[in-house]
C-alpha cells in the first residue's frame, strides 16, 4: 500500500463513532458532516436513525415477497421455516441486533460496507455503474477538449461548494435528506488489500489525473482554499497538450504500459500487484500510485467515437475491446475503476463511471446534473453576462489573481512514467486478456422509446415507475413464459446515513396482471389488472422508503449470526476423543426460499433526469438482466445488459408492450381529467366543442355557430388524428372518469433516483467469500468517517416524486422504468439502432490521505509553450 494509507481506523465502528463525535473518534473531533458551519450538512444532527423493523412484520413481508415466486408446496415449507425462526433463533438475533445498533448511526451500515469491500471479483461490470450525459446543447462545444475542460471546471465548482458547505441540501417534500455521501465524492479511492478493500480519501486533494491512451498525467487545479486556479481556457490548453503528447507514443506501445487495466483485476490479485508497486517506500512507482490514489478524480480522454447508443453505454461502463496485431487498443485500458471517472470521447460524448461503495446513484446524479447545468450557464454568461449561477459563491477569477496567491501548486501537466518491471508487464498482459474475456461475456442494448413518457402515464392515473416496472414483467413473461425474482431499490436517505431498501416487484397482483395481459381478455380487464398491480407496487415503495422492508433487516440478522461467536449459537457433540462444536443456520436462511429471493434475475434501477441520456450497470446474475432506466416527460430511456441472453429481443418486446398498452388505454379511455400539458385555454375550447353536440368532428363543426361569448366560429375544426406524434398524443389523451384520489396519489414519479443493484443475494455471496467480522479491518473507512454504499434510490411512488426536489438547481430526480420485452405479434417499431516536474509525496494522518509539504520530482513535465499559468 502507498503511504497515503499508512493509518486506518481499526474497524468501521471507529469511523462511525468519529462521525458522531464519540470519545474514541480520532483527535476527539466529530465529522464535518455533523459539526457544520454551512448549509450543506446543517440538518445532519436532526435526521432520525434508520429504524429496525419489528421481527414479525419483516417475516410477514418476507413471505409476501416469496408468495408469487414459489409453488404452493414450496411456500408452505418456507412458511414453516419462518415460523420456526420466529419461535427459536429470531427473537435472540433481533435482540442482539438491537444491542449492536445502540449508539450507531445505522444498524445496517457496518454489514453493508463489509459486503461491498469484501467483494473479491473485478469491480468493472460487477459493481461500477455509469451515467451517459446528454450532449452539450451547443454543437460547437462537443469537441473533446472543449467539452472535457468545461466539465472539469464545473466539477471543481461542485467540489468547492461541498468543501465550503455551500451546496444546498437535498430535500423530499421539504424534509432534508442525508448529505454525508457528498463529502466522499472527491479525492476518494478503493484500495485492495489481502483482507479485502478499504476506502481511502485525501480530503485536501487539489490535483486531477488525466488518462489518455492508457498514459497518466496530472496537474493541480485547486489552491489550498479550494478555489480554482485555472480558467476554462487554461484547462483546455492543458488537455490539448496532453492529447498531443499521448499521440506521440504509438498506440500499441502505449497499450503495453497501460497500468490502469490492473484495476480491473480480481481484488486479491490487484492487492498483490499494488504491493509490487509500493515495495520500496518512496520509489517512483509508489509515488505515482499515491498521486493517482489521492487525485480529486480521473479524467479519461478516449480515442474513440461510438456511433450508437448501446456502444456509447458500453464505452462508459467497461470501455471498448479492440485487438490490433494481438494488442489491446480499445478504451478498456484507459480507465482506473477504483475512483470517480469523467469520460469524454473524441466526439465530445461524455459520461461518468464511479466506484460506488461510498456514494449512491442519487448523490452522483446530483453532481452530474449540477455539473451539466453549470457548463450551460457558464457558456451563457459569456454571451449575456446575466445568466444565473448555481453556486452561492465562486472562485476568484484565476486570470486576475496574483500567481503567488496560488501557493505551492503546479499547473503544468506532468506525465507519470511507471517503472514497468517484468512481473508488472506480465501481470498487465494477463489482466488485459481477462478483461477482454469479461467484456466479451456481456452485451448491451438500449431503447429510447419516444411514444410517450411520464406525462402520459400520470395523465392515465399511473405511477410512472410502477407502470414501467410492470412493463418489465409483462415483456419478460411474453418472452420466457414465467416471472422471476426482481429487485428495485427504494431510497432511505430521509434517515441518517440512509441507503436503500429492496422493492420486490413480483407480487400476486403483478402475476395476475401479466397473466391477464397475455390472455384473451377485454381491454378493460387488462387495464384494471394493471392498475391493481401498480397500486400494490406503489404501496410497497412507500413502505420501503420508510425502511419497512424485509431484505435489509434479514440481511443484518444473518450478519449478526455469522459474526456471532457466542456459545449459545453452537451445539457440542463428541466424535471419539474430539469435541466438535457446530452451529446450525437459522431455519429461515437454510430454507430454499432465502436463496430464491437472493437470486435476482431482473435487477432494475430508476435513476435519471434531463441531464442524462442513459444510465446502467452490468447484470448481477448470469441468467438475468441489469436494467437501468430513466422516465422522461415524453419518453423512456432504457439500457439493458446481460450475459448474451437475447437482450435485443427483450428490448424489442418492451417497445411492443409500450405500444400495445397505449392502445389499450386509449380504447378504455372515457374522458376524464385533462393531460397535464393541456392548457386551460385549450380545455375551455374542447368543452365548447362538447357543448356543440356530436363528437366534435366534421358534421357539428362544418356549420357556423355562436359560442357562449357571442363570437362567430367559421370553418370546420380540424381534429388531430390519434397518435400522429407523441406530443399530440400526450396532449390529447385523457384519463378515465373520476380517479381524482388516485391521481393525487400517483400524479408524478419524479422521485429521487439512485443506484443500488447490489442486493442481499450478492451481499451474502460477498460475506461468504470475504469472511470477516465486525472488527474486520478490511471494511474500515479512511479518514475516520464511514463511506456510503451506492444504491438506487427510487421514486417511491408518484406523489413521492414531484416533491423529490433538491434545493439546488439540480434537475436530477431519478425516475426510470424498464419493461420486460415480450415476444409478441404486435409488430413493434424496432429502433436499433522519471523527469523534472514537481510532484507530491502522500502520507497519512489519522487515516487521511494527505499531501505533505515535501515535494518530489515524479513525472515528465510537459512543455506548454507559454509556461505555467
Amino acid at each position: 500500500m502507498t503511504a497515503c494509507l499508512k493509518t486506518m481506523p481499526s474497524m468501521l465502528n471507529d469511523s462511525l463513532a468519529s462521525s458522531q463525535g464519540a470519545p474514541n473518534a480520532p483527535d476527539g473531533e466529530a465529522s464535518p458532516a455533523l459539526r457544520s458551519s454551512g448549509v450543506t450538512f446543517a440538518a445532519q444532527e436532526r435526521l432520525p436513525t434508520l429504524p429496525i423493523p419489528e421481527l414479525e412484520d419483516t417475516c410477514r413481508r418476507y413471505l409476501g415477497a416469496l408468495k408469487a415466486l414459489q409453488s404452493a408446496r414450496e411456500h408452505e415449507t418456507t412458511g414453516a421455516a419462518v415460523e420456526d425462526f420466529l419461535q427459536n433463533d429470531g427473537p435472540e438475533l433481533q435482540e442482539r441486533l438491537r444491542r449492536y445498533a445502540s449508539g450507531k448511526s445505522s444498524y445496517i451500515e457496518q454489514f453493508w460496507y463489509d459486503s461491498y469491500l469484501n467483494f473479491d471479483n473485478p469491480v468493472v461490470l460487477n459493481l461500477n455503474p455509469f451515467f451517459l450525459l446528454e450532449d452539450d446543447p451547443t454543437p460547437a462545444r462537443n469537441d473533446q477538449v472543449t467539452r472535457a475542460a468545461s466539465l472539469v471546471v464545473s466539477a471543481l465548482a461542485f467540489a468547492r461548494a461541498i468543501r465550503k458547505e455551500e451546496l444546498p441540501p437535498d430535500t423530499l417534500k421539504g424534509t432534508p435528506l442525508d448529505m454525508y455521501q457528498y463529502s466522499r465524492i472527491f479525492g476518494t479511492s478503493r484500495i485492495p488489500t489481502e483482507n479485502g478493500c478499504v476506502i481511502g480519501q485525501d480530503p485536501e486533494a487539489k490535483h486531477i489525473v488525466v488518462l489518455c491512451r492508457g498514459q497518466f498525467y496530472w496537474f493541480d487545479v485547486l489552491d489550498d482554499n479550494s478555489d480554482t486556479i485555472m480558467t476554462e481556457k487554461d484547462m483546455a490548453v492543458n488537455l490539448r497538450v496532453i492529447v498531443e503528447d499521448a499521440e506521440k507514443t504509438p498506440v500499441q506501445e502505449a497499450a503495453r504500459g497501460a497500468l490502469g487495466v490492473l484495476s480491473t483485476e480480481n481484488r486479491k490479485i490487484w492487492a498483490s500487484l499494488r504491493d509490487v508497486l509500493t515495495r520500496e517506500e518512496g520509489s517512483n512507482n509508489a509515488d505515482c500510485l499515491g498521486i493517482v490514489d489521492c487525485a480529486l478524480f480521473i479524467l479519461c480522454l478516449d480515442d474513440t467515437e461510438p456511433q450508437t447508443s448501446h456502444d456509447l453505454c458500453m464505452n462508459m461502463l467497461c470501455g471498448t475491446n479492440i485487438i490490433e496485431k494481438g494488442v489491446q487498443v480499445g478504451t478498456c485500458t484507459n480507465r482506473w475503476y477504483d475512483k470517480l471517472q469523467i469520460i469524454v470521447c473524441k466526439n465530445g460524448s461524455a459520461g461518468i463511471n464511479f466506484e460506488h461503495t461510498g456514494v449512491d446513484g442519487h448523490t452522483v446524479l446530483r453532481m452530474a446534473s449540477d455539473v451539466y447545468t453549470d457548463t450551460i450557464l457558464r457558456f451563457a454568461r459569456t454571451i449575456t453576462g446575466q445568466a444565473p449561477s448555481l453556486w452561492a459563491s465562486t472562485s476568484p477569477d484565476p486570470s486576475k489573481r496574483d500567481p503567488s496567491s496560488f501557493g505551492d501548486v503546479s499547473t503544468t501537466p506532468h506525465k507519470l512514467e511507471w517503472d514497468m518491471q517484468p512481473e508488472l508487464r506480465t501481470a498487465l498482459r494477463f489482466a488485459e486478456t481477462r478483461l477482454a474475456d469479461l467484456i466479451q461475456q456481456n452485451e448491451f442494448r438500449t431503447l429510447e422509446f419516444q411514444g410517450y413518457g411520464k406525462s402520459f402515464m400520470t395523465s392515465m392515473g399511473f405511477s410512472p415507475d410502477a407502470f414501467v416496472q410492470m412493463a418489465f414483467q409483462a415483456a419478460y413473461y411474453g418472452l420466457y413464459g414465467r416471472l422471476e425474482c426482481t429487485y428495485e431499490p427504494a431510497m432511505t436517505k430521509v434517515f441518517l446515513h440512509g441507503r436503500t431498501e429492496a422493492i420486490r416487484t413480483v407480487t400476486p397482483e403483478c402475476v395476475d396482471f401479466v397473466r391477464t395481459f397475455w390472455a384473451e381478455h377485454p381491454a378493460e380487464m387488462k387495464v384494471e389488472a394493471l392498475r391493481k398491480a401498480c397500486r400494490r407496487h406503489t404501496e410497497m415503495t412507500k413502505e420501503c422508503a420508510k425502511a419497512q422492508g424485509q431484505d435489509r433487516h434479514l440481511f443484518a440478522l444473518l450478519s449478526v449470526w455469522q459474526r456471532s461467536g457466542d456459545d449459545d449459537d453452537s451445539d457440542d457433540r463428541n466424535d471419539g476423543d474430539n469435541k466438535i462444536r457446530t452451529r446450525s443456520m437459522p431455519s429461515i436462511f437454510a430454507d430454499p426460499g432465502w436463496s430464491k429471493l437472493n437470486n435476482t434475475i431482473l435487477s432494475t434501477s430508476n435513476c435519471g433526469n434531463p441531464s442524462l441520456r442513459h444510465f446502467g450497470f452490468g447484470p448481477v446474475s448470469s441468467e438475468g438482466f441489469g436494467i437501468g432506466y430513466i422516465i422522461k416527460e415524453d419518453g423512456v430511456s432504457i439500457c439493458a445488459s446481460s450475459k448474451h441472453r437475447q437482450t435485443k429481443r427483450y428490448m424489442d418486446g418492451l417497445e411492443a408492450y409500450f405500444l400495445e398498452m397505449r392502445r389499450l388505454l386509449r380504447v378504455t379511455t372515457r374522458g376524464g381529467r385533462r393531460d397535464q400539458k393541456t392548457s386551460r385555454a385549450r380545455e375551455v375550447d374542447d368543452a365548447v366543442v362538447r357543448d356543440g353536440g356530436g363528437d366534435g368532428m366534421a358534421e357539428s363543426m362544418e356549420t357556423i355557430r355562436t359560442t357562449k361569448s357571442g363570437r362567430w366560429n367559421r370553418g370546420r375544426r380540424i381534429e388531430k388524428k390519434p397518435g400522429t406524434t407523441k406530443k399530440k398524443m400526450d396532449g390529447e389523451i385523457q384519463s378515465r372518469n373520476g380517479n381524482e384520489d388516485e391521481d393525487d396519489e400517483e400524479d408524478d414519479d419524479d422521485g429521487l433516483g439512485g443506484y443500488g443493484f447490489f442486493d442481499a443475494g450478492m451481499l451474502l455471496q460477498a460475506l461468504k467469500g470475504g469472511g470477516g467480522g465486525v472488527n474486520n479491518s478490511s471494511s474500515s473507512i479512511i479518514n475516520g468517517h464511514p463511506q456510503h454504499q451506492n444504491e438506487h434510490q427510487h421514486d417511491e411512488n408518484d406523489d413521492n416524486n414531484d416533491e423529490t426536489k433538491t434545493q439546488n438547481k439540480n434537475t436530477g430526480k431519478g425516475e426510470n422504468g424498464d419493461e420486460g420485452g415480450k415476444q409478441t405479434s404486435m409488430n413493434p417499431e424496432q429502433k436499433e439502432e522519471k523527469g523534472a516536474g514537481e510532484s507530491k509525496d502522500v502520507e497519512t494522518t489519522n487515516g487521511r490521505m494527505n499531501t505533505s509539504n515535501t515535494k518530489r520530482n515524479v513525472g515528465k513535465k510537459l512543455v506548454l509553450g507559454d509556461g505555467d499559468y
Side-chain angles (χ1 to χ4, degrees):
M1 296 179 66
T2 67
C4 302
L5 300 173
K6 191 184 303 178
T7 304
M8 296 179 296
S10 60
M11 61 187 217
L12 180 62
N13 292 344
D14 294 342
S15 296
L16 294 176
S18 68
S19 70
Q20 296 173 317
N24 61 333
D27 297 333
E29 294 184 14
S31 162
L34 292 182
R35 184 172 295 171
S36 172
S37 58
V39 301
T40 305
F41 308 109
Q44 291 296 103
E45 292 179 323
R46 302 197 304 271
L47 295 177
T49 56
L50 193 73
I52 299 177
E54 294 298 326
L55 184 62
E56 293 77 9
D57 292 340
T58 292
C59 289
R60 172 179 52 79
R61 295 189 187 100
Y62 173 69
L63 288 174
L66 282 170
K67 185 175 182 180
L69 298 172
Q70 294 179 310
S71 66
R73 183 182 296 274
E74 289 172 336
H75 199 61
E76 183 179 356
T77 301
T78 296
V82 170
E83 185 62 29
D84 178 79
F85 180 71
L86 285 170
Q87 296 299 322
N88 295 291
D89 296 305
E92 182 179 353
L93 290 177
Q94 177 81 342
E95 181 57 31
R96 287 184 181 177
L97 179 61
R98 291 188 185 280
R99 290 199 303 267
Y100 163 80
S102 178
K104 292 184 173 58
S105 58
S106 169
Y107 75 87
I108 191 69
E109 189 168 35
Q110 168 77 53
F111 310 127
W112 195 259
Y113 285 130
D114 285 349
S115 299
Y116 271 93
L117 296 175
N118 288 331
F119 186 76
D120 193 44
N121 290 329
V123 295
V124 59
L125 283 164
N126 289 313
L127 291 183
N128 287 30
F130 78 90
F131 290 152
L132 175 62
L133 296 172
E134 288 284 3
D135 288 341
D136 193 298
T138 306
R141 291 173 57 78
N142 280 311
D143 162 77
Q144 182 182 46
V145 168
T146 303
R147 185 87 194 275
S150 180
L151 290 171
V152 168
V153 170
S154 292
L156 296 176
F158 189 85
R160 180 184 183 275
I162 294 172
R163 288 184 174 183
K164 293 186 176 295
E165 300 185 16
E166 296 175 348
L167 188 72
D170 296 330
T171 62
L172 176 64
K173 298 182 180 180
T175 301
L177 301 180
D178 184 86
M179 293 292 289
Y180 179 74
Q181 295 175 33
Y182 287 92
S183 66
R184 292 298 175 262
I185 296 179
F186 299 103
T188 303
S189 185
R190 180 184 181 119
I191 310 296
T193 73
E194 291 183 356
N195 299 314
C197 293
V198 295
I199 297 297
Q201 184 182 35
D202 180 359
E204 299 174 354
K206 56 184 182 180
H207 69 279
I208 66 171
V209 166
V210 181
L211 271 169
C212 188
R213 296 194 174 202
Q215 300 164 74
F216 291 75
Y217 303 83
W218 73 271
F219 56 90
D220 287 324
V221 290
L222 298 177
D223 63 16
D224 292 336
N225 197 39
S226 297
D227 288 326
T228 55
I229 57 176
M230 303 180 71
T231 65
E232 184 174 334
K233 182 179 178 180
D234 296 336
M235 190 72 65
V237 171
N238 267 12
L239 298 183
R240 198 168 301 280
V241 167
I242 287 174
V243 171
E244 292 172 354
D245 183 80
E247 290 175 345
K248 294 177 183 178
T249 304
V251 63
Q252 292 188 332
E253 179 183 338
R256 294 187 180 96
L259 208 70
V261 74
L262 298 181
S263 69
T264 70
E265 265 287 15
N266 171 284
R267 304 309 291 179
K268 288 185 178 179
I269 295 176
W270 180 207
S272 66
L273 294 173
R274 285 181 61 100
D275 287 342
V276 173
L277 288 167
T278 60
R279 183 175 294 158
E280 299 177 15
E281 185 174 352
S283 67
N284 174 68
N285 280 349
D287 285 348
C288 287
L289 186 59
I291 288 173
V292 175
D293 284 340
C294 298
L296 283 158
F297 55 86
I298 307 291
L299 173 65
C300 304
L301 300 178
D302 282 356
D303 186 29
T304 185
E305 299 182 74
Q307 298 302 308
T308 65
S309 59
H310 44 264
D311 286 342
L312 271 168
C313 290
M314 177 181 179
N315 187 65
M316 299 305 168
L317 182 61
C318 59
T320 59
N321 175 33
I322 303 173
I323 308 297
E324 291 183 1
K325 299 180 181 179
V327 177
Q328 177 65 257
V329 296
T331 62
C332 62
T333 62
N334 197 48
R335 299 286 185 271
W336 191 272
Y337 286 101
D338 290 336
K339 293 182 68 68
L340 171 70
Q341 301 175 95
I342 297 177
I343 304 167
V344 185
C345 299
K346 204 166 185 178
N347 58 2
S349 296
I352 297 172
N353 184 294
F354 58 98
E355 200 293 311
H356 79 113
T357 299
V359 291
D360 61 27
H362 168 254
T363 303
V364 181
L365 176 63
R366 166 87 183 264
M367 186 203 81
S369 300
D370 281 11
V371 166
Y372 181 81
T373 303
D374 184 62
T375 61
I376 298 172
L377 293 177
R378 278 190 300 102
F379 181 63
R381 283 196 294 275
T382 65
I383 301 173
T384 67
Q386 302 297 320
S389 173
L390 290 178
W391 322 117
S393 69
T394 57
S395 297
D397 186 346
S399 64
K400 298 178 181 179
R401 290 179 58 180
D402 182 349
S404 63
S405 67
F406 295 158
D408 185 13
V409 298
S410 178
T411 58
T412 302
H414 295 68
K415 183 176 183 179
L416 297 179
E417 297 183 321
W418 307 84
D419 297 329
M420 296 300 294
Q421 299 133 337
E423 54 191 318
L424 287 178
R425 291 189 181 276
T426 301
L428 193 153
R429 178 160 54 91
F430 292 144
E432 181 276 312
T433 56
R434 279 189 282 266
L435 174 60
D437 271 351
L438 185 60
I439 294 174
Q440 290 296 103
Q441 292 165 13
N442 292 268
E443 65 175 355
F444 311 89
R445 285 290 168 179
T446 59
L447 172 62
E448 296 182 85
F449 180 72
Q450 300 295 314
Y452 57 89
K454 169 185 165 184
S455 179
F456 173 69
M457 297 173 196
T458 55
S459 75
M460 290 288 122
F462 290 100
S463 156
D465 182 73
F467 186 96
V468 173
Q469 282 288 325
M470 292 309 116
F472 295 149
Q473 302 306 318
Y476 191 92
Y477 188 90
L479 189 58
Y480 295 105
R482 63 181 184 272
L483 293 179
E484 302 277 16
C485 182
T486 304
Y487 170 88
E488 180 191 13
M491 185 189 68
T492 58
K493 287 179 73 175
V494 294
F495 301 102
L496 183 65
H497 292 189
R499 292 176 172 79
T500 64
E501 181 54 82
I503 307 169
R504 296 298 179 177
T505 305
V506 180
T507 62
E509 291 85 354
C510 172
V511 173
D512 179 66
F513 158 65
V514 168
R515 290 176 176 171
T516 301
F517 176 81
W518 283 102
E520 296 295 330
H521 290 301
E524 290 80 4
M525 184 179 294
K526 294 181 179 182
V527 171
E528 185 57 31
L530 175 61
R531 292 192 185 280
K532 290 180 180 179
C534 287
R535 280 196 292 267
R536 178 58 188 138
H537 188 84
T538 297
E539 291 169 0
M540 287 193 305
T541 305
K542 287 181 176 179
E543 292 177 355
C544 290
K546 297 175 183 177
Q548 296 301 308
Q550 68 283 329
D551 283 57
R552 302 297 181 255
H553 185 200
L554 288 174
F555 175 69
L557 293 174
L558 174 61
S559 299
V560 168
W561 176 80
Q562 288 181 319
R563 288 156 173 74
S564 173
D566 293 350
D567 291 341
D568 293 340
D569 282 341
S570 60
D571 299 322
D572 294 337
R573 77 173 189 268
N574 290 321
D575 183 11
D577 295 331
N578 298 319
K579 189 175 183 179
I580 302 176
R581 186 173 296 277
T582 63
R583 301 174 64 213
S584 58
M585 177 174 283
S587 57
I588 194 172
F589 304 120
D591 178 74
W594 177 249
S595 297
K596 179 178 284 290
L597 190 66
N598 289 293
N599 181 27
T600 297
I601 303 301
L602 292 182
S603 182
T604 70
S605 184
N606 171 355
C607 184
N609 62 36
S611 70
L612 299 188
R613 181 177 174 186
H614 279 293
F615 135 81
F617 47 91
V620 301
S621 167
S622 61
E623 302 173 348
F625 295 92
I627 304 173
Y629 58 103
I630 305 172
I631 306 175
K632 302 178 179 179
E633 287 294 327
D634 300 317
V636 182
S637 294
I638 304 171
C639 178
S641 62
S642 77
K643 303 288 186 181
H644 293 278
R645 199 186 171 200
Q646 301 193 81
T647 313
K648 178 185 178 298
R649 196 175 181 186
Y650 181 61
M651 300 298 269
D652 289 343
L654 276 174
E655 184 176 35
Y657 170 87
F658 280 132
L659 296 172
E660 174 66 2
M661 187 49 63
R662 179 179 67 182
R663 185 189 71 80
L664 293 176
L665 289 169
R666 296 176 72 176
V667 167
T668 58
T669 295
R670 297 291 184 270
R673 59 187 174 85
R674 65 184 179 91
D675 186 283
Q676 292 177 337
K677 288 192 172 184
T678 303
S679 68
R680 289 292 182 181
R682 181 58 179 271
E683 186 178 16
V684 171
D685 192 36
D686 290 342
V688 171
V689 173
R690 289 193 296 271
D691 291 343
D695 60 3
M697 295 301 288
E699 181 178 353
S700 63
M701 297 308 297
E702 284 174 349
T703 61
I704 300 174
R705 61 183 177 80
T706 305
T707 66
K708 295 179 180 179
S709 64
R711 294 185 58 193
W712 289 91
N713 273 338
R714 285 188 177 273
R716 176 169 61 86
R717 174 185 172 104
I718 305 299
E719 292 292 328
K720 297 186 182 110
K721 292 183 180 179
T724 53
T725 68
K726 63 182 177 62
K727 290 188 179 295
K728 291 177 181 178
M729 180 277 297
D730 277 348
E732 184 170 314
I733 296 296
Q734 294 176 322
S735 68
R736 58 183 179 147
N737 286 320
N739 294 323
E740 290 305 321
D741 292 340
E742 182 180 5
D743 177 50
D744 289 343
E745 180 172 332
E746 299 180 317
D747 178 52
D748 193 4
D749 211 2
D750 253 356
L752 293 172
Y755 183 80
F757 64 90
F758 199 97
D759 57 306
M762 293 191 69
L763 293 169
L764 177 57
Q765 295 174 26
L767 282 175
K768 288 180 177 178
V774 172
N775 294 321
N776 191 339
S777 64
S778 70
S779 61
S780 297
I781 304 303
I782 301 304
N783 194 24
H785 305 304
Q787 291 295 335
H788 265 178
Q789 89 295 351
N790 235 10
E791 318 257 342
H792 290 358
Q793 305 151 339
H794 209 292
D795 305 32
E796 280 74 61
N797 68 91
D798 295 307
D799 90 81
N800 217 350
N801 298 344
D802 242 3
E803 309 171 282
T804 298
K805 299 196 170 139
T806 54
Q807 283 192 11
N808 64 349
K809 299 200 171 167
N810 154 24
T811 44
K813 290 131 203 132
E815 22 171 272
N816 296 329
D818 269 305
E819 313 187 89
K822 58 185 176 187
Q823 197 58 28
T824 170
S825 59
M826 288 184 266
N827 298 323
E829 304 166 8
Q830 298 182 4
K831 299 174 184 175
E832 298 263 351
E833 322 192 84
K834 248 169 194 161
E838 293 181 320
S839 196
K840 307 175 186 180
D841 274 339
V842 185
E843 48 187 47
T844 304
T845 304
N846 294 326
R848 305 186 179 207
M849 297 194 297
N850 290 323
T851 303
S852 71
N853 293 326
T854 304
K855 289 270 189 173
R856 277 189 54 83
N857 290 326
V858 177
K860 180 178 67 177
K861 185 173 182 178
L862 303 189
V863 178
L864 302 179
D866 294 330
D868 287 1
Y869 301 114

